[in-house]
Amino acid sequence: MPPLPPSLPGLKTGGGSSGGSGNTFHYTFHGDPHATFASFFGGSNPFDIFFASSRSRMFNGFDQEDMDMDDDDDPFSAFGRFGFNGINGVHRRHQESLHTRRKVQDPPVIHELKVSLEEIYHGSTKRMKITRRRLNADGRTMRTEDKILNIVIKRGWKEGTKITFPKEGDATPDNIPADIVFILKDKPHSHFKRDGTNVIYTANISLKEALCGCTVNIPTIDGRVIPLPCNDIIKPGTVKRLRGEGLPFPKAPSQRGDLIVEFKIRFPDRIAPQTRQILKQHLPCS
């Protein structure tokens, strides 16, 4: 072992010298860390030469009082709490600090998207323009920008279907942008009312047509007209069904629901006395 510099204070020979040179140091392991440090430093506290007697000095960049050290004289108790890969307490506080700073996503921004039955029947694409705030490259300042969202509406989609665009909302340094969600809503239709994959059409007929028979022209969603013969008496509440003339099934667009025809009978406001008499004679009593 090379000779120790004579100017280094606080060290003493511990374990004796050999050869009588006075500057050759031999170390004998005592099996006790206190005794080992006492041999090197001449005292039971190896940190006295660095800290004098103050507990408020800094150890490896951390104040002793901030490290929750016990008020005992055993200098090795700190090593029971501190790991060589980092100070356990400080590492734990650092993790907690990171946890409190974790970004949270804003709640979804929900818009109602009105669609016609024709768009549900054929499928369509809608373009929606949104204005939002986005972060600049520095991660702190923000800008306002417009974006076009293309919403693909598939055939047969039900009212209430949600289309989500992840994280397209406002962005700030402290948040995760919200999802933009569109919820399908049926537009009122001039002829039809939706019932799942079925559509309902109300046909207006006269009392004469209801009693004597008629043919009613029924429009379809795709623009055709289907003649519907009604030879039987049409009573209030009578329903006729045109199979496969409704909306596509969402999971099987090649199949379609039905077109349901309901009837609304127009009764006359007045009947001439002669007609009334004829009806009395010919109409059944029950």
Side-chain angles (χ1 to χ4, degrees):
M1 181 178 291
L4 294 172
S7 59
L8 185 61
L11 296 179
K12 60 180 284 187
T13 59
S17 61
S18 65
S21 61
N23 60 356
T24 301
F25 179 75
H26 286 269
Y27 162 66
T28 301
F29 179 65
H30 299 278
D32 180 5
H34 295 80
T36 300
F37 273 92
S39 298
F40 275 101
F41 297 98
S44 62
N45 190 344
F47 301 113
D48 282 344
I49 63 172
F50 302 107
F51 304 155
S53 60
S54 173
R55 285 185 176 272
S56 62
R57 300 286 181 86
M58 299 299 289
F59 172 72
N60 197 22
F62 297 95
D63 195 299
Q64 292 181 9
E65 294 178 353
D66 291 338
M67 294 189 293
D68 298 326
M69 295 179 67
D70 294 333
D71 292 329
D72 54 32
D73 294 328
D74 185 358
F76 302 102
S77 62
F79 289 95
R81 294 186 301 272
F82 303 155
F84 289 101
N85 292 327
I87 301 175
N88 294 334
V90 175
H91 181 66
R92 192 161 49 246
R93 286 195 294 270
H94 179 64
Q95 286 182 326
E96 292 172 357
S97 177
L98 289 177
H99 180 73
T100 57
R101 292 198 303 268
R102 185 178 300 166
K103 291 184 178 181
V104 177
Q105 186 175 20
D106 288 344
V109 178
I110 299 175
H111 298 280
E112 190 177 84
L113 181 63
K114 292 188 176 182
V115 292
S116 67
L117 293 183
E118 286 80 4
E119 289 172 323
I120 295 296
Y121 181 89
H122 295 287
S124 64
T125 299
K126 286 184 172 290
R127 293 166 58 86
M128 302 294 292
K129 179 180 178 181
I130 62 171
T131 302
R132 61 188 184 170
R133 292 180 298 167
R134 306 304 280 179
L135 283 174
N136 292 319
D138 59 14
R140 297 188 305 274
T141 59
M142 293 174 290
R143 68 186 184 279
T144 299
E145 70 175 21
D146 294 334
K147 183 173 182 178
I148 301 296
L149 301 178
N150 291 316
I151 306 172
V152 178
I153 300 169
K154 296 184 178 180
R155 298 182 63 200
W157 268 3
K158 298 178 180 180
E159 185 177 52
T161 299
K162 294 181 180 180
I163 305 103
T164 300
F165 293 86
K167 300 180 182 179
E168 291 290 356
D170 289 338
T172 70
D174 303 317
N175 82 321
I176 297 174
D179 296 341
I180 303 295
V181 180
F182 293 92
I183 299 179
L184 259 60
K185 179 76 173 179
D186 291 340
K187 286 181 181 178
H189 199 278
S190 57
H191 298 305
F192 305 109
K193 185 170 60 176
R194 183 176 185 176
D195 180 21
T197 56
N198 298 329
V199 291
I200 301 172
Y201 174 76
T202 301
N204 289 289
I205 61 174
S206 66
L207 178 61
K208 179 180 178 180
E209 290 172 323
L211 296 177
C212 301
C214 62
T215 297
V216 182
N217 292 323
I218 308 299
T220 64
I221 297 178
D222 58 351
R224 294 176 292 118
V225 175
I226 298 177
L228 177 63
C230 300
N231 298 319
D232 298 329
I233 293 176
I234 303 297
K235 301 176 183 180
T238 297
V239 170
K240 293 187 177 293
R241 186 180 294 261
L242 300 177
R243 300 286 181 182
E245 294 294 343
L247 295 171
F249 285 87
K251 296 182 180 180
S254 60
Q255 302 177 27
R256 292 191 290 169
D258 300 334
L259 198 165
I260 299 172
V261 181
E262 296 178 347
F263 294 91
K264 184 178 180 180
I265 303 170
R266 300 188 307 269
F267 282 78
D269 295 326
R270 295 185 304 274
I271 297 177
Q274 300 88 342
T275 304
R276 188 187 299 268
Q277 195 64 33
I278 295 172
L279 289 175
K280 284 183 179 180
Q281 294 174 1
H282 296 281
L283 287 177
C285 297
S286 58

